[in-house]
Coordinates of all heavy atoms in Angstrom, one line a residue:
L91 N 20.9 -5.7 9.1 CA 19.5 -5.7 8.8 C 19.2 -5.2 7.3 O 18.3 -5.7 6.7 CB 18.8 -4.7 9.8 CG 18.7 -5.2 11.2 CD1 18.3 -4.1 12.2 CD2 17.7 -6.4 11.3
V95 N 17.3 -7.7 4.7 CA 16.0 -7.3 4.2 C 16.0 -6.9 2.7 O 15.1 -7.1 1.9 CB 15.3 -6.3 5.1 CG1 13.9 -5.8 4.5 CG2 15.1 -6.8 6.5
T144 N 4.4 -4.9 -0.6 CA 5.3 -5.8 -0.1 C 6.5 -5.0 0.6 O 7.0 -5.6 1.6 CB 5.9 -6.7 -1.2 OG1 4.7 -7.3 -1.9 CG2 6.7 -7.8 -0.6
F145 N 6.8 -3.9 0.1 CA 7.8 -3.1 0.8 C 7.4 -2.8 2.2 O 8.2 -2.7 3.1 CB 8.1 -1.8 0.0 CG 9.1 -1.9 -1.1 CD1 9.3 -0.8 -1.9 CD2 9.8 -3.1 -1.3 CE1 10.2 -0.9 -2.9 CE2 10.7 -3.2 -2.3 CZ 10.9 -2.1 -3.2
G146 N 6.1 -2.5 2.4 CA 5.6 -2.3 3.7 C 5.8 -3.5 4.6 O 6.2 -3.4 5.8
N147 N 5.5 -4.7 4.1 CA 5.7 -5.9 4.9 C 7.2 -6.1 5.2 O 7.6 -6.4 6.3 CB 5.3 -7.1 4.1 CG 3.7 -7.2 4.0 OD1 3.0 -6.6 4.8 ND2 3.3 -7.9 3.0
N148 N 8.1 -5.7 4.2 CA 9.5 -5.8 4.5 C 10.0 -4.9 5.6 O 10.8 -5.2 6.4 CB 10.3 -5.5 3.2 CG 10.1 -6.6 2.1 OD1 10.2 -6.3 0.9 ND2 10.0 -7.8 2.5
A149 N 9.4 -3.7 5.6 CA 9.8 -2.7 6.6 C 9.3 -3.2 8.0 O 10.0 -3.0 9.0 CB 9.1 -1.3 6.3
I150 N 8.1 -3.8 8.1 CA 7.7 -4.3 9.4 C 8.5 -5.5 9.8 O 8.9 -5.6 11.0 CB 6.2 -4.7 9.3 CG1 5.3 -3.4 9.1 CG2 5.7 -5.5 10.5 CD1 3.9 -3.7 8.8
E151 N 8.9 -6.3 8.9 CA 9.8 -7.4 9.2 C 11.1 -6.9 9.7 O 11.7 -7.4 10.7 CB 10.0 -8.3 8.0 CG 8.9 -9.2 7.6 CD 8.5 -10.2 8.7 OE1 9.4 -10.7 9.4 OE2 7.3 -10.4 8.9
L152 N 11.6 -5.8 9.1 CA 12.9 -5.2 9.6 C 12.7 -4.7 11.0 O 13.6 -4.8 11.8 CB 13.3 -4.1 8.6 CG 14.8 -3.6 8.7 CD1 15.3 -3.2 7.4 CD2 14.9 -2.5 9.7
L153 N 11.6 -4.0 11.2 CA 11.3 -3.5 12.5 C 11.4 -4.5 13.6 O 12.0 -4.4 14.6 CB 9.9 -2.8 12.6 CG 9.3 -2.5 13.9 CD1 10.1 -1.4 14.7 CD2 7.8 -2.1 13.8
K154 N 10.7 -5.7 13.3 CA 10.7 -6.8 14.3 C 12.1 -7.4 14.5 O 12.5 -7.8 15.5 CB 9.7 -7.8 13.9 CG 8.2 -7.3 13.9 CD 7.2 -8.4 13.6 CE 7.3 -8.9 12.2 NZ 6.3 -9.9 11.9
A155 N 12.8 -7.4 13.3 CA 14.2 -8.1 13.4 C 15.2 -7.2 14.2 O 16.2 -7.7 14.5 CB 14.7 -8.3 12.0
T156 N 14.9 -5.9 14.4 CA 15.8 -5.1 15.2 C 16.0 -5.7 16.6 O 17.1 -5.3 17.2 CB 15.3 -3.7 15.3 OG1 14.0 -3.7 16.0 CG2 15.1 -3.0 14.0
S157 N 15.2 -6.5 17.0 CA 15.4 -7.1 18.4 C 16.6 -7.9 18.5 O 17.2 -8.1 19.6 CB 14.2 -7.9 18.8 OG 14.0 -9.0 17.9
I199 N 3.9 2.2 10.2 CA 4.5 1.9 8.9 C 3.3 1.5 7.9 O 3.4 1.9 6.8 CB 5.5 0.7 9.1 CG1 6.7 1.2 9.9 CG2 5.9 0.2 7.7 CD1 7.6 0.0 10.2

Side-chain angles (χ1 to χ4, degrees):
L91 290 166
V95 175
T144 310
F145 276 175
N147 289 337
N148 292 147
I150 291 173
E151 287 297 325
L152 193 150
L153 165 68
K154 295 186 293 184
T156 58
S157 60
I199 292 173

